[in-house]
Amino acid sequence: MGKRKVDISKHELVPEHIVLSEEEANELLKKLNITKSQLPKILASDPMVKKIKAKPGDIIKIVRRSPTAGVYYYYRVVISEK
Amino acid sequence: MRVFQRTIAGIKFGILSPEQIREMSVAKIVTPDTYDEDGYPIEGGLMDPKLGVVDPGLRCKTCGARAGECPGHFGRIELARPVIHVGYAKHIARILKIICRECSRIKLPQEKIDEFRKRIKNARKIGKDEEVIIDELYNQAKQVKVCPHCGAEQGEIKFEKPTTYLENGRKLTPSDVRERLEKITDEDAEALGFDVEVARPEYMVLTVLPVPPVTVRPSIILESGERSEDDLTHKLVDIIRINQRLQENIEAGAPQIIIEDLWELLQYHVTTYFNNEVAGIPPARHRSGRPLKTLAQRLKGKEGRFRGNLSGKRVNFSARTVISPDPNISINEVGVPIEVARELTVPVRVTPYNIDYLRKLVKNGAHKYPGANYVERPDGSKIRLDKAKSVEKALKELDVGYIVHRHLQDGDIVLFNRQPSLHRMSIMAHEVRVMPGKTFRLNLCVCPPYNADFDGDEMNLHAIQGEEARAEARMLMRVQDQILSPRFGGPIIGGIHDHISGAYLFTKKETKFRREEALQLLYIAKMYDEIKKLLKEKSEDGYYTGKQIFSLILPEDLNLRYKAKVCKKCETCLEEDCPYDAFVVIKNGKLIKGVMDEKSFGAFAGELLDRIVKDYGTDKAREFLDKITRLVIAFISKRGFTTGIDDEDLPEEAKQRINEILTKAEEEVQNVIEMYEQGLLEPLPGRTLEETLEMRIMQILSEARDKSGQIANEYLEKIEERGKLNGARIMAISGARGSLLNLTQMAACVGQQSVRGERIKRGYSGRTLPHFKKGDIGAKAKGFVKSSYKSGLSPTEFFFHAMGGREGLVDTAVRTSQSGYMQRRLINALQDLKVEYDNTVRDARYVIVAFKHGEDGADPARTDWGKTVNVKKVIEKVISKRG
């Protein structure tokens, strides 16, 4: 394959990933009445996490296409590997 | 009562040290005998009274409690020589391989050991698997030939299952092993994953054996008065006996060989005491030849302590018997034999309001129905009402605050279940109807959710004992509340078989009834209100149509349009003007057009039933199902309905046409084969030439079968139009039972037989059977069955058919076991997930799994076949309101 790099975010099966700002993150946690540890996790080494430059502790909003609901938002907290 | 609440912060596992074992021991067990001649337990024996009490009336010599209160106390056996604990044998082998034979240090430089210690500590803190790190250490250290600490040359350690270790081919005694493990420093042990506070490596070699209390291994007294000891006791006797002999021999200074032999025997007994299914050694057997059930066997497997006694247990207040059908009871009910009703009880607290009623029940006693089996005093003690004397006593005593355990009666709510309990509809709440007979009776409409039939099926019934449970069952679990399946958002309970064909015949255009007939039907169906309604209606020259009578049950404001099951799927649908009466129109609760069939109120498919449950509620739906099934059953019983081989009779002309088509197809197959042989066949994209040929042949033959089926159906229809009832066809088109394919196979042509999705190719070299030439790949030679079931199969066809049939049987057998295991694992993984009130799906730690259940937050049981909004339904509602 060599040097050619593929932009994975352009792939049709990769949904949009957005890093939440501090306020947005707090708002979400408040709305769900949870702490960060109760969110689904995503590894910092995940290619999409690296691509949007999210750091451990950040919350990522994933915009998925859903066959039942049209758009579905999923939130995951970035965790470091160790 | 004061309640103390504590949260468990964690559980720590360790290995018992010899000191701990001695500390918790209340008796040193030394003699292999259990009882003396008078039947009293010997002190220092395995039944030492200090180990606890099992016999009622006696008091424990250690704690003073009575049998049942005393939990039992451990004893110990001091082993004459150490033995390996089989459960740790593998672990010991691993450690022996990575420590020095001389100094017992890990065969790695000090820095490395420190590094591993740190990594393990870290992994433990963040809850990561430390096994991986220990594996790494093991792999690095096992190869080292010279100890980096003392410079000693290392031997090669070999582990021979189950409990032998060899160093350079020389046997290591458990004493040697223990010595080495003892020398491991605490720091090194930590690097090996040990928490030295609770588990030192040498604890894995036993010097003292704990003896479980008698409560763990109770002896049973046989009818003959003989005592029969538990398997564990037997095993412990063996251990003590050999231990004693070993001790004596050592003290007498016996030769080394004798001592070693006895030592090994001791090891064998201790090994089988822990686990009698260890690979490599024969299992210890009972005198009768049955392998003993020792510690590991008590815990393991489906009937073991965990799966058999902790995750699932046997219950009281339950009954099991054969089921049989009763179309006259409601879907909510279950027929219970009097014998069962007399045995199962419901607790009722005595109040001033019910005391007279309960007194009557108590007076009847346990044997006369309806009565009661027990009277429970406020202090919890019970009087059994099986004797006239005790009944008298209970009657005198009975007062407010007592609890009467009365017999099961009509209207009680019970849980009813059929295994395998694959979905929640496998356990539903029914109302009791006590009746004569010895079987449970159930309405035919509830067969689909239980997947029950009456070829000998048995079902379980549980009498509910508490008010909360009773309320839950009544509110959530009743059959009528389970009509809609959460699997696909449609009814899973509904008409089957005769209900469907009955309704089809009942609502056909031609079906008419004289007034008397109509009234009789309604009376049989217990539709008394509908009788009044019918009498108010106009009859057409003295006749009521089936549709008219059917409409009596429909809610008055119901509007519905859909295509029935009998729909022929014409290119342009004429809707109301369908010539086959296959388009159902219900206007203001009147069935105007269309026939009732599987799509109207059948299980899994009923559109009409679906609409009634969703728009009018479950009470109406239950009433509808009860009435409609009784009505059509009454009708079809009176009218008569049958099927036989003459339902597949075809006129000569039809047979000729079918034969023509099949012969032509066979010729066509021959042509394609010729083309293939001449190399004229073009391969399909992505397929080899041979695959292309096979596909073409399969296609030609299946088309031929379909066509012959169509012809058969055409003629059967014609015959029916001339007025002859054809039960088989009616069942197929209305969806009651069977399909048009089944009809085709019976009347026209069975078709291609297959094994593994291909035409049959196995058998002899180059051919399937010796009846054919080698290399013949024509239709006949590869399993095409031209005959119909009715005309009969030729010998070769029969053989191919058996091959295909065998595959089907094997497949189902394999599939059920595989899907069963898959389901078990799925349930284990998903059992704690729950939809919270904020619509999120969370696990037991409240960690979010999904932010909205199903991404749209919809309850599938309340959707229209999975769709959150049914646009068609909304539009129709609006239009019908306007029109």
Side-chain angles (χ1 to χ4, degrees):
Chain A
M1 287 291 277
K3 286 160 221 152
R4 205 151 55 112
K5 278 232 164 133
V6 178
D7 183 355
I8 52 160
S9 67
K10 294 275 177 355
H11 193 278
E12 61 166 358
L13 292 178
V14 177
E16 193 183 347
H17 288 57
I18 307 159
V19 187
L20 290 190
S21 69
E22 188 101 8
E23 300 92 74
E24 286 172 319
N26 285 332
E27 204 178 304
L28 176 80
L29 294 178
K30 216 176 146 193
K31 195 181 97 190
L32 294 167
N33 192 22
I34 54 167
T35 58
K36 266 185 195 170
S37 63
Q38 285 169 292
L39 278 177
K41 299 169 182 69
I42 188 166
L43 277 183
S45 59
D46 186 278
M48 267 316 284
V49 174
K50 279 198 251 173
K51 174 142 173 61
I52 59 169
K53 299 203 176 66
K55 282 165 286 299
D58 284 352
I59 295 174
I60 290 177
K61 176 182 186 175
I62 300 165
V63 185
R64 293 180 180 163
R65 300 281 140 206
S66 156
T68 51
V71 193
Y72 175 61
Y73 300 110
Y74 202 75
Y75 303 92
R76 304 174 84 170
V77 62
V78 180
I79 56 157
S80 62
E81 210 125 338
K82 276 185 188 167
Chain B
M1 193 176 70
R2 274 176 73 191
V3 178
F4 293 91
Q5 263 200 344
R6 281 293 150 111
T7 322
I8 295 173
I11 301 173
K12 206 169 193 176
F13 289 95
I15 309 173
L16 286 177
S17 70
E19 293 78 41
Q20 276 175 300
I21 295 171
R22 285 190 191 106
E23 215 172 284
M24 69 183 195
S25 146
V26 295
K28 191 173 160 188
I29 311 298
V30 284
T31 45
D33 306 305
T34 48
Y35 297 94
D36 58 22
E37 303 90 57
D38 308 325
Y40 285 105
I42 298 172
E43 263 185 55
L46 273 167
M47 288 296 168
D48 193 306
K50 280 189 236 148
L51 297 184
V53 277
V54 272
D55 309 296
L58 294 174
R59 277 185 182 274
C60 171
K61 270 218 171 154
T62 305
C63 66
R66 261 186 269 267
E69 296 161 11
C70 165
H73 312 276
F74 274 88
R76 69 179 191 278
I77 297 169
E78 295 282 347
L79 297 173
R81 284 286 161 92
V83 288
I84 307 286
H85 187 310
V86 259
Y88 297 113
K90 221 171 175 179
H91 206 74
I92 294 172
R94 255 164 76 101
I95 291 170
L96 288 180
K97 281 183 191 176
I98 54 174
I99 59 170
C100 170
R101 55 176 301 190
E102 294 291 336
C103 68
S104 282
R105 295 295 313 270
I106 296 174
K107 296 184 291 182
L108 286 175
Q110 188 59 45
E111 315 85 70
K112 272 260 175 96
I113 298 177
D114 290 339
E115 188 202 313
F116 273 114
R117 265 176 66 199
K118 236 164 81 192
R119 278 176 62 192
I120 287 172
K121 236 185 203 163
N122 213 345
R124 220 172 263 171
K125 214 161 64 195
I126 60 170
K128 234 175 139 187
D129 194 8
E130 55 195 81
E131 242 2 83
V132 197
I133 303 165
I134 298 167
D135 275 346
E136 202 183 310
L137 177 139
Y138 171 73
N139 286 328
Q140 282 182 25
K142 71 174 173 188
Q143 304 293 357
V144 180
K145 293 279 184 297
V146 179
C147 174
H149 300 283
C150 67
E153 193 104 2
Q154 298 300 314
E156 190 204 359
I157 303 273
K158 247 182 94 187
F159 171 45
E160 257 177 22
K161 273 179 182 169
T163 49
T164 319
Y165 305 97
L166 301 169
E167 188 174 51
N168 294 333
R170 212 178 53 84
K171 225 180 228 173
L172 287 176
T173 64
S175 296
D176 299 335
V177 174
R178 190 172 158 98
E179 216 168 284
R180 287 192 191 187
L181 297 178
E182 275 168 1
K183 278 196 296 185
I184 296 173
T185 62
D186 280 358
E187 285 78 25
D188 278 8
E190 271 169 37
L192 293 169
F194 281 90
D195 179 352
V196 288
E197 295 277 307
V198 292
R200 280 277 317 171
E202 68 267 22
Y203 298 169
M204 299 189 293
V205 182
L206 299 162
T207 53
V208 192
L209 188 71
V211 175
V214 279
T215 38
V216 174
R217 42 187 179 87
S219 49
I220 3 173
I221 295 164
L222 297 170
E223 279 164 50
S224 56
E226 231 180 310
R227 255 179 200 277
S228 174
E229 297 298 336
D230 191 270
D231 281 5
L232 275 190
T233 311
H234 280 303
K235 204 62 236 178
L236 285 166
V237 167
D238 292 343
I239 292 173
I240 296 168
R241 204 168 277 147
I242 299 303
N243 194 44
Q244 215 174 23
R245 264 173 64 196
L246 180 59
Q247 185 74 46
E248 284 161 12
N249 275 290
I250 292 168
E251 275 159 17
Q256 196 60 30
I257 311 173
I258 291 177
I259 290 177
E260 264 172 35
D261 276 357
L262 284 171
W263 195 351
E264 226 156 272
L265 200 53
L266 181 66
Q267 175 74 61
Y268 167 80
H269 284 307
V270 173
T271 300
T272 49
Y273 167 69
F274 284 115
N275 184 356
N276 204 12
E277 278 165 11
V278 180
I281 54 167
R285 284 174 193 283
H286 190 253
R287 261 171 303 162
S288 62
R290 159 185 71 85
L292 292 171
K293 227 178 158 184
T294 53
L295 287 175
Q297 279 66 52
R298 284 191 174 196
L299 310 177
K300 253 192 208 158
K302 199 163 168 191
E303 248 117 77
R305 201 84 331 132
F306 293 105
R307 278 176 73 186
N309 300 113
L310 294 163
S311 316
K313 345 174 128 67
R314 291 179 172 270
V315 293
N316 288 325
F317 307 104
S318 62
R320 179 185 175 92
T321 182
V322 179
I323 51 166
S324 50
D326 188 340
N328 295 313
I329 63 173
S330 166
I331 55 168
N332 265 351
E333 293 177 318
V334 59
V336 177
I338 301 177
E339 283 94 330
V340 170
R342 255 204 304 258
E343 197 62 43
L344 297 182
T345 58
V346 172
V348 185
R349 177 152 253 128
V350 182
T351 66
Y353 313 104
N354 65 10
I355 189 161
D356 293 334
Y357 160 72
L358 289 175
R359 204 169 262 142
K360 266 183 219 157
L361 294 183
V362 172
K363 203 174 167 193
N364 278 344
H367 306 298
K368 191 174 164 198
Y369 183 85
N373 284 352
Y374 291 96
V375 166
E376 189 180 333
R377 297 193 188 91
D379 69 356
S381 58
K382 284 178 186 168
I383 314 170
R384 193 170 156 72
L385 304 174
D386 56 348
K387 289 183 195 88
K389 229 167 143 191
S390 56
V391 169
E392 221 167 279
K393 195 169 128 205
L395 266 179
K396 217 179 280 168
E397 250 184 75
L398 194 71
D399 203 355
V400 174
Y402 276 54
I403 295 169
V404 174
H405 293 262
R406 54 145 248 250
H407 290 158
L408 212 55
Q409 290 178 8
D410 282 5
D412 282 335
I413 200 137
V414 293
L415 299 187
F416 203 40
N417 159 239
R418 180 182 178 274
Q419 282 101 357
S421 312
L422 294 174
H423 55 195
R424 69 179 204 204
M425 287 80 77
S426 291
I427 304 178
M428 293 190 284
H430 290 246
E431 272 165 29
V432 168
R433 278 275 289 267
V434 178
M435 29 176 81
K438 290 198 188 256
T439 58
F440 287 137
R441 252 57 57 83
L442 51 103
N443 186 291
L444 288 139
C445 293
V446 291
C447 284
Y450 289 123
N451 193 17
D453 49 38
F454 306 106
D455 59 2
D457 290 26
E458 290 182 59
M459 283 179 72
N460 310 320
L461 183 136
H462 299 266
I464 296 173
Q465 299 295 307
E467 289 305 334
E468 296 100 320
R470 190 162 299 126
E472 268 195 35
R474 214 178 264 286
M475 304 300 290
L476 305 169
M477 296 177 72
R478 242 171 356 150
V479 174
Q480 68 175 62
D481 298 316
Q482 305 294 331
I483 295 175
L484 292 174
S485 165
R487 200 168 80 206
F488 51 83
I492 192 174
I493 291 165
I496 52 169
H497 306 162
D498 281 2
H499 299 150
I500 307 297
S501 37
Y504 171 74
L505 295 171
F506 190 71
T507 53
K508 266 173 85 163
K509 271 184 210 157
E510 312 86 76
T511 315
K512 283 178 187 170
F513 300 92
R514 273 181 285 117
R515 208 170 85 129
E516 298 76 35
E517 287 177 318
L519 293 182
Q520 192 184 13
L521 279 182
L522 289 173
Y523 195 81
I524 294 171
K526 297 179 193 153
M527 294 162 63
Y528 309 121
D529 295 338
E530 282 79 1
I531 290 178
K532 285 180 214 153
K533 250 162 87 183
L534 185 75
L535 291 174
K536 280 181 205 146
E537 272 190 39
K538 264 196 226 154
S539 58
E540 228 172 281
D541 38 283
Y543 283 97
Y544 293 103
T545 64
K547 285 195 174 73
Q548 210 177 351
I549 299 171
F550 189 92
S551 302
L552 296 173
I553 317 174
L554 297 174
E556 264 160 35
D557 54 346
L558 182 74
N559 287 287
L560 187 66
R561 293 153 65 87
Y562 68 87
K563 282 180 196 164
K565 166 89 197 223
V566 293
C567 174
K568 301 215 166 161
K569 298 178 181 83
C570 323
E571 260 168 53
T572 49
C573 186
L574 296 171
E575 306 219 319
E576 282 96 330
D577 306 317
C578 178
Y580 312 108
D581 208 18
F583 192 84
V584 177
V585 180
I586 296 171
K587 230 178 208 168
N588 297 322
K590 292 268 176 282
L591 179 59
I592 311 277
K593 283 270 154 65
V595 290
M596 295 290 99
D597 55 19
E598 197 189 9
K599 280 271 281 293
S600 78
F601 66 98
F604 302 107
E607 293 249 10
L608 172 59
L609 177 61
D610 180 61
R611 185 59 55 88
I612 292 176
V613 202
K614 282 172 186 157
D615 289 0
Y616 299 90
T618 51
D619 281 323
K620 269 267 160 34
R622 182 208 64 226
E623 204 189 313
F624 170 75
L625 257 186
D626 285 344
K627 284 182 177 169
I628 201 71
T629 50
R630 274 201 300 258
L631 178 70
V632 297
I633 290 300
F635 163 69
I636 203 170
S637 309
K638 220 165 126 49
R639 181 190 196 277
F641 188 81
T642 184
T643 182
I645 23 167
D646 61 342
D647 278 352
E648 285 82 43
D649 273 344
L650 289 179
E652 225 20 73
E653 186 192 338
K655 282 187 204 160
Q656 261 170 35
R657 279 181 62 192
I658 289 167
N659 196 34
E660 235 166 71
I661 283 171
L662 294 175
T663 318
K664 225 163 82 194
E666 277 177 334
E667 276 165 22
E668 211 177 315
V669 168
Q670 221 49 56
N671 285 341
V672 180
I673 292 169
E674 262 163 48
M675 269 172 70
Y676 161 75
E677 278 164 355
Q678 289 162 18
L680 295 172
L681 198 68
E682 281 295 319
L684 289 165
R687 293 288 150 107
T688 65
L689 204 57
E690 284 70 25
E691 282 170 347
T692 311
L693 176 69
E694 277 302 303
M695 284 173 70
R696 281 290 303 280
I697 294 172
M698 292 276 269
Q699 192 196 351
I700 293 164
L701 292 174
S702 86
E703 264 170 30
R705 195 210 19 209
D706 292 347
K707 243 188 258 169
S708 64
Q710 273 166 28
I711 291 169
N713 189 32
E714 220 173 86
Y715 281 93
L716 291 176
E717 208 178 337
K718 266 189 213 161
I719 295 167
E720 217 179 322
E721 271 160 26
R722 273 184 248 129
K724 192 179 176 298
L725 174 86
N726 186 330
R729 210 186 84 91
I730 287 173
M731 289 193 284
I733 61 165
S734 66
R737 194 77 219 238
S739 62
L740 282 179
L741 174 69
N742 295 145
L743 271 184
T744 303
Q745 291 194 319
M746 288 188 281
C749 164
V750 174
Q752 180 67 49
Q753 298 301 306
S754 71
V755 169
R756 297 199 173 169
E758 288 171 316
R759 298 202 296 159
I760 286 161
K761 59 178 182 186
R762 44 182 71 196
Y764 300 83
S765 70
R767 53 183 166 175
T768 50
L769 285 174
H771 306 66
F772 306 106
K773 286 206 176 101
K774 274 193 180 177
D776 183 358
I777 50 171
K780 230 178 170 180
K782 288 274 192 167
F784 183 73
V785 179
K786 198 173 154 186
S787 320
S788 65
Y789 283 130
K790 193 179 163 225
S791 68
L793 274 58
S794 76
T796 53
E797 286 176 338
F798 184 87
F799 193 81
F800 291 134
H801 185 254
M803 287 175 78
R806 166 76 65 86
E807 195 198 21
L809 288 181
V810 171
D811 269 9
T812 42
V814 171
R815 245 201 322 271
T816 43
S817 67
Q818 272 180 351
S819 65
Y821 184 48
M822 213 189 317
Q823 166 134 1
R824 190 180 138 77
R825 299 190 10 165
L826 246 174
I827 286 173
N828 279 339
L830 299 178
Q831 61 180 357
D832 294 327
L833 298 190
K834 176 183 166 199
V835 182
E836 298 291 337
Y837 284 110
D838 66 352
N839 255 328
T840 56
V841 180
R842 303 191 189 206
D843 67 11
R845 297 127 64 212
Y846 294 112
V847 172
I848 292 182
V849 175
F851 291 88
K852 219 172 190 191
H853 173 59
E855 305 194 338
D856 58 0
D859 171 1
R862 285 156 205 270
T863 60
D864 268 50
W865 270 275
K867 290 265 185 314
T868 320
V869 187
N870 185 344
V871 181
K872 209 178 117 199
K873 182 172 149 185
V874 174
I875 292 173
E876 263 167 30
K877 219 169 217 171
V878 173
I879 291 175
S880 70
K881 243 176 216 154
R882 240 196 294 147

